[in-house]
CSV table of all heavy atoms in Angstrom, one decimal:
chain,number,residue,atom,x,y,z
A,1,PHE,N,0.8,-1.2,0.0
A,1,PHE,CA,0.0,0.0,0.0
A,1,PHE,C,0.9,1.2,0.0
A,1,PHE,O,1.9,1.2,0.6
A,1,PHE,CB,-0.9,0.1,1.2
A,1,PHE,CG,-1.9,-1.0,1.3
A,1,PHE,CD1,-1.9,-2.0,2.3
A,1,PHE,CD2,-3.0,-1.1,0.3
A,1,PHE,CE1,-2.9,-3.0,2.4
A,1,PHE,CE2,-3.9,-2.1,0.4
A,1,PHE,CZ,-3.9,-3.1,1.4
A,2,GLN,N,0.4,2.3,-0.7
A,2,GLN,CA,1.1,3.6,-0.7
A,2,GLN,C,0.5,4.6,0.3
A,2,GLN,O,-0.8,4.5,0.5
A,2,GLN,CB,1.1,4.2,-2.1
A,2,GLN,CG,1.9,3.4,-3.1
A,2,GLN,CD,2.0,4.2,-4.4
A,2,GLN,OE1,1.0,4.8,-4.8
A,2,GLN,NE2,3.1,4.0,-5.1
A,3,ALA,N,1.3,5.5,0.8
A,3,ALA,CA,0.7,6.5,1.6
A,3,ALA,C,-0.3,7.3,0.9
A,3,ALA,O,-0.2,7.6,-0.3
A,3,ALA,CB,1.9,7.5,2.0
A,4,GLY,N,-1.4,7.6,1.5
A,4,GLY,CA,-2.6,8.3,0.9
A,4,GLY,C,-3.6,7.4,0.2
A,4,GLY,O,-4.6,7.9,-0.2
A,5,GLU,N,-3.3,6.1,0.1
A,5,GLU,CA,-4.2,5.2,-0.6
A,5,GLU,C,-5.4,5.0,0.3
A,5,GLU,O,-5.3,4.8,1.5
A,5,GLU,CB,-3.5,3.9,-0.8
A,5,GLU,CG,-4.3,2.9,-1.7
A,5,GLU,CD,-3.5,1.7,-2.0
A,5,GLU,OE1,-2.2,1.7,-2.0
A,5,GLU,OE2,-4.1,0.7,-2.4
A,6,GLU,N,-6.6,5.0,-0.3
A,6,GLU,CA,-7.9,4.8,0.4
A,6,GLU,C,-8.1,3.3,0.4
A,6,GLU,O,-8.1,2.6,-0.6
A,6,GLU,CB,-9.0,5.5,-0.4
A,6,GLU,CG,-10.3,5.4,0.3
A,6,GLU,CD,-11.3,6.2,-0.6
A,6,GLU,OE1,-11.1,7.3,-1.0
A,6,GLU,OE2,-12.4,5.6,-0.9
A,7,ILE,N,-8.3,2.8,1.6
A,7,ILE,CA,-8.6,1.3,1.8
A,7,ILE,C,-10.1,1.0,1.8
A,7,ILE,O,-10.5,0.1,1.2
A,7,ILE,CB,-8.0,0.8,3.1
A,7,ILE,CG1,-6.5,1.1,3.2
A,7,ILE,CG2,-8.3,-0.6,3.4
A,7,ILE,CD1,-5.7,0.2,2.3
A,8,ALA,N,-10.9,1.8,2.4
A,8,ALA,CA,-12.3,1.6,2.5
A,8,ALA,C,-13.0,2.9,2.8
A,8,ALA,O,-12.4,3.8,3.4
A,8,ALA,CB,-12.6,0.6,3.5
A,9,THR,N,-14.3,3.0,2.4
A,9,THR,CA,-15.1,4.2,2.7
A,9,THR,C,-16.5,3.7,3.2
A,9,THR,O,-17.0,2.7,2.7
A,9,THR,CB,-15.3,5.0,1.4
A,9,THR,OG1,-14.0,5.4,0.9
A,9,THR,CG2,-16.1,6.2,1.7
A,10,VAL,N,-17.1,4.4,4.1
A,10,VAL,CA,-18.4,4.1,4.6
A,10,VAL,C,-19.2,5.4,4.5
A,10,VAL,O,-18.7,6.5,4.9
A,10,VAL,CB,-18.4,3.5,6.0
A,10,VAL,CG1,-17.9,4.4,7.0
A,10,VAL,CG2,-19.8,3.0,6.3
A,11,SER,N,-20.4,5.4,4.1
A,11,SER,CA,-21.3,6.5,4.1
A,11,SER,C,-22.0,6.6,5.4
A,11,SER,O,-22.2,5.7,6.1
A,11,SER,CB,-22.4,6.4,3.0
A,11,SER,OG,-21.8,6.3,1.7
A,12,ILE,N,-22.4,7.9,5.7
A,12,ILE,CA,-23.1,8.2,7.0
A,12,ILE,C,-24.3,8.9,6.6
A,12,ILE,O,-24.3,9.9,5.9
A,12,ILE,CB,-22.2,9.0,7.9
A,12,ILE,CG1,-20.9,8.3,8.3
A,12,ILE,CG2,-23.0,9.5,9.1
A,12,ILE,CD1,-20.6,8.2,9.7
A,13,ASP,N,-25.4,8.4,7.2
A,13,ASP,CA,-26.7,9.1,7.0
A,13,ASP,C,-26.6,10.4,7.8
A,13,ASP,O,-26.4,10.5,9.0
A,13,ASP,CB,-27.8,8.3,7.6
A,13,ASP,CG,-29.2,8.9,7.5
A,13,ASP,OD1,-29.3,10.0,6.8
A,13,ASP,OD2,-30.1,8.4,8.0
A,14,PRO,N,-26.7,11.6,7.1
A,14,PRO,CA,-26.5,12.9,7.7
A,14,PRO,C,-27.6,13.2,8.7
A,14,PRO,O,-27.5,14.3,9.3
A,14,PRO,CB,-26.4,13.8,6.6
A,14,PRO,CG,-27.0,13.2,5.4
A,14,PRO,CD,-26.9,11.7,5.6
A,15,GLY,N,-28.6,12.4,8.9
A,15,GLY,CA,-29.6,12.7,9.8
A,15,GLY,C,-29.1,12.6,11.3
A,15,GLY,O,-27.9,12.9,11.5
A,16,ASN,N,-29.9,12.2,12.1
A,16,ASN,CA,-29.6,12.1,13.6
A,16,ASN,C,-28.7,10.9,13.8
A,16,ASN,O,-29.2,9.8,14.1
A,16,ASN,CB,-30.9,12.0,14.4
A,16,ASN,CG,-30.6,12.3,15.8
A,16,ASN,OD1,-29.6,12.7,16.2
A,16,ASN,ND2,-31.7,12.1,16.6
A,17,ILE,N,-27.4,11.1,13.8
A,17,ILE,CA,-26.5,9.9,13.9
A,17,ILE,C,-26.1,9.8,15.4
A,17,ILE,O,-25.9,10.7,16.1
A,17,ILE,CB,-25.2,10.1,13.1
A,17,ILE,CG1,-24.4,8.9,13.1
A,17,ILE,CG2,-24.4,11.3,13.5
A,17,ILE,CD1,-23.5,8.7,11.9
A,18,THR,N,-26.1,8.5,15.9
A,18,THR,CA,-25.8,8.2,17.3
A,18,THR,C,-24.4,7.7,17.4
A,18,THR,O,-23.8,7.4,16.4
A,18,THR,CB,-26.8,7.2,17.8
A,18,THR,OG1,-26.5,5.9,17.2
A,18,THR,CG2,-28.2,7.6,17.6
A,19,ARG,N,-23.9,7.8,18.6
A,19,ARG,CA,-22.6,7.2,18.9
A,19,ARG,C,-22.5,5.8,18.5
A,19,ARG,O,-21.4,5.4,17.9
A,19,ARG,CB,-22.4,7.4,20.4
A,19,ARG,CG,-21.0,7.0,20.9
A,19,ARG,CD,-20.9,7.4,22.4
A,19,ARG,NE,-19.5,7.3,22.8
A,19,ARG,CZ,-18.6,8.1,22.5
A,19,ARG,NH1,-18.8,9.2,21.8
A,19,ARG,NH2,-17.4,8.0,22.9
A,20,ASN,N,-23.5,5.0,18.7
A,20,ASN,CA,-23.5,3.6,18.3
A,20,ASN,C,-23.4,3.4,16.8
A,20,ASN,O,-22.7,2.6,16.3
A,20,ASN,CB,-24.8,2.9,18.9
A,20,ASN,CG,-24.7,1.4,18.8
A,20,ASN,OD1,-23.7,0.8,19.1
A,20,ASN,ND2,-25.8,0.8,18.3
A,21,ASP,N,-24.1,4.3,16.1
A,21,ASP,CA,-24.0,4.3,14.6
A,21,ASP,C,-22.6,4.5,14.1
A,21,ASP,O,-22.1,3.8,13.3
A,21,ASP,CB,-24.9,5.4,14.0
A,21,ASP,CG,-26.4,5.1,14.2
A,21,ASP,OD1,-26.8,4.0,14.4
A,21,ASP,OD2,-27.1,6.1,14.2
A,22,VAL,N,-21.9,5.5,14.7
A,22,VAL,CA,-20.5,5.8,14.4
A,22,VAL,C,-19.6,4.6,14.7
A,22,VAL,O,-18.8,4.3,13.9
A,22,VAL,CB,-20.1,7.1,15.1
A,22,VAL,CG1,-18.6,7.3,14.8
A,22,VAL,CG2,-20.9,8.3,14.6
A,23,GLN,N,-19.8,4.1,15.9
A,23,GLN,CA,-19.0,2.9,16.3
A,23,GLN,C,-19.1,1.7,15.3
A,23,GLN,O,-18.2,1.1,15.0
A,23,GLN,CB,-19.2,2.5,17.7
A,23,GLN,CG,-18.7,3.5,18.7
A,23,GLN,CD,-19.2,3.3,20.1
A,23,GLN,OE1,-20.1,2.6,20.4
A,23,GLN,NE2,-18.5,3.8,21.1
A,24,GLU,N,-20.4,1.5,14.9
A,24,GLU,CA,-20.6,0.4,13.9
A,24,GLU,C,-19.9,0.7,12.6
A,24,GLU,O,-19.3,-0.2,12.0
A,24,GLU,CB,-22.1,0.2,13.7
A,24,GLU,CG,-22.9,-0.4,14.8
A,24,GLU,CD,-24.4,-0.5,14.6
A,24,GLU,OE1,-24.8,-0.3,13.5
A,24,GLU,OE2,-25.1,-0.8,15.6
A,25,ARG,N,-20.0,1.9,12.1
A,25,ARG,CA,-19.3,2.3,10.9
A,25,ARG,C,-17.8,2.1,11.0
A,25,ARG,O,-17.1,1.6,10.1
A,25,ARG,CB,-19.6,3.7,10.5
A,25,ARG,CG,-21.1,4.0,10.3
A,25,ARG,CD,-21.7,3.3,9.1
A,25,ARG,NE,-23.0,3.8,8.7
A,25,ARG,CZ,-24.1,3.8,9.4
A,25,ARG,NH1,-24.2,3.5,10.6
A,25,ARG,NH2,-25.3,4.2,8.8
A,26,LEU,N,-17.2,2.6,12.1
A,26,LEU,CA,-15.8,2.4,12.3
A,26,LEU,C,-15.4,1.0,12.4
A,26,LEU,O,-14.3,0.6,11.9
A,26,LEU,CB,-15.3,3.2,13.6
A,26,LEU,CG,-15.5,4.7,13.5
A,26,LEU,CD1,-15.0,5.4,14.8
A,26,LEU,CD2,-14.8,5.3,12.3
A,27,ASN,N,-16.2,0.2,13.1
A,27,ASN,CA,-15.9,-1.3,13.2
A,27,ASN,C,-15.9,-1.9,11.8
A,27,ASN,O,-15.1,-2.8,11.4
A,27,ASN,CB,-16.9,-2.0,14.1
A,27,ASN,CG,-16.7,-1.7,15.5
A,27,ASN,OD1,-15.6,-1.4,15.9
A,27,ASN,ND2,-17.7,-1.9,16.3
A,28,TRP,N,-16.9,-1.5,10.9
A,28,TRP,CA,-16.9,-2.0,9.6
A,28,TRP,C,-15.7,-1.6,8.8
A,28,TRP,O,-15.1,-2.4,8.1
A,28,TRP,CB,-18.2,-1.5,8.9
A,28,TRP,CG,-18.4,-2.0,7.5
A,28,TRP,CD1,-19.0,-3.2,7.2
A,28,TRP,CD2,-17.9,-1.5,6.3
A,28,TRP,NE1,-18.9,-3.4,5.8
A,28,TRP,CE2,-18.3,-2.3,5.2
A,28,TRP,CE3,-17.2,-0.3,5.9
A,28,TRP,CZ2,-18.0,-2.1,3.9
A,28,TRP,CZ3,-16.9,0.0,4.6
A,28,TRP,CH2,-17.3,-0.9,3.6
A,29,LEU,N,-15.3,-0.3,8.9
A,29,LEU,CA,-14.1,0.2,8.2
A,29,LEU,C,-12.8,-0.6,8.7
A,29,LEU,O,-12.0,-1.0,7.8
A,29,LEU,CB,-13.8,1.6,8.5
A,29,LEU,CG,-14.5,2.7,7.7
A,29,LEU,CD1,-14.2,4.1,8.2
A,29,LEU,CD2,-14.2,2.5,6.2
A,30,LEU,N,-12.8,-0.9,10.0
A,30,LEU,CA,-11.6,-1.7,10.5
A,30,LEU,C,-11.7,-3.1,10.0
A,30,LEU,O,-10.6,-3.6,9.6
A,30,LEU,CB,-11.7,-1.6,12.0
A,30,LEU,CG,-10.5,-2.2,12.7
A,30,LEU,CD1,-9.2,-1.5,12.3
A,30,LEU,CD2,-10.6,-2.1,14.2
A,31,ALA,N,-12.8,-3.7,9.9
A,31,ALA,CA,-13.0,-5.1,9.4
A,31,ALA,C,-12.6,-5.2,7.9
A,31,ALA,O,-11.8,-6.1,7.5
A,31,ALA,CB,-14.4,-5.6,9.6
A,32,VAL,N,-13.0,-4.2,7.1
A,32,VAL,CA,-12.7,-4.2,5.7
A,32,VAL,C,-11.2,-4.0,5.5
A,32,VAL,O,-10.5,-4.6,4.7
A,32,VAL,CB,-13.5,-3.1,4.9
A,32,VAL,CG1,-13.0,-2.9,3.5
A,32,VAL,CG2,-15.0,-3.5,4.9
A,33,SER,N,-10.6,-3.1,6.3
A,33,SER,CA,-9.2,-2.8,6.2
A,33,SER,C,-8.4,-4.0,6.6
A,33,SER,O,-7.4,-4.3,6.0
A,33,SER,CB,-8.8,-1.6,7.2
A,33,SER,OG,-9.5,-0.5,6.8
A,34,LYS,N,-8.8,-4.7,7.6
A,34,LYS,CA,-8.1,-5.9,8.1
A,34,LYS,C,-8.2,-7.0,7.0
A,34,LYS,O,-7.2,-7.7,6.7
A,34,LYS,CB,-8.7,-6.4,9.4
A,34,LYS,CG,-8.0,-7.6,10.0
A,34,LYS,CD,-8.5,-8.0,11.3
A,34,LYS,CE,-7.7,-9.1,11.9
A,34,LYS,NZ,-8.2,-9.5,13.2
A,35,PHE,N,-9.3,-7.1,6.4
A,35,PHE,CA,-9.5,-8.1,5.3
A,35,PHE,C,-8.6,-7.8,4.1
A,35,PHE,O,-7.9,-8.6,3.6
A,35,PHE,CB,-11.0,-8.1,4.8
A,35,PHE,CG,-11.2,-9.0,3.6
A,35,PHE,CD1,-11.3,-10.4,3.8
A,35,PHE,CD2,-11.4,-8.4,2.4
A,35,PHE,CE1,-11.5,-11.2,2.7
A,35,PHE,CE2,-11.6,-9.2,1.3
A,35,PHE,CZ,-11.7,-10.6,1.4
A,36,ARG,N,-8.6,-6.5,3.7
A,36,ARG,CA,-7.7,-6.1,2.6
A,36,ARG,C,-6.2,-6.3,2.9
A,36,ARG,O,-5.4,-6.7,2.1
A,36,ARG,CB,-7.9,-4.6,2.2
A,36,ARG,CG,-9.3,-4.5,1.6
A,36,ARG,CD,-9.4,-3.4,0.5
A,36,ARG,NE,-8.3,-3.3,-0.4
A,36,ARG,CZ,-7.9,-2.1,-0.9
A,36,ARG,NH1,-8.6,-1.0,-0.6
A,36,ARG,NH2,-6.9,-2.1,-1.8
């Protein structure tokens, strides 16, 4: 991997986002990154 390379992206519903929603999205990003 090169510096600046994007590994994964997750969209966020701009509505009323909760702490739990954010944690779930970050866990998903981490899982995809680990897989890659």
Side-chain angles (χ1 to χ4, degrees):
F1 295 116
Q2 289 185 332
E5 187 173 341
E6 185 181 309
I7 299 290
T9 302
V10 65
S11 295
I12 298 229
D13 179 10
N16 195 10
I17 189 152
T18 67
R19 185 174 191 74
N20 192 46
D21 293 335
V22 173
Q23 290 172 338
E24 285 177 14
R25 300 297 195 296
L26 294 180
N27 286 338
W28 185 86
L29 277 177
L30 190 56
V32 169
S33 299
K34 186 174 183 176
F35 175 77
R36 290 213 41 213

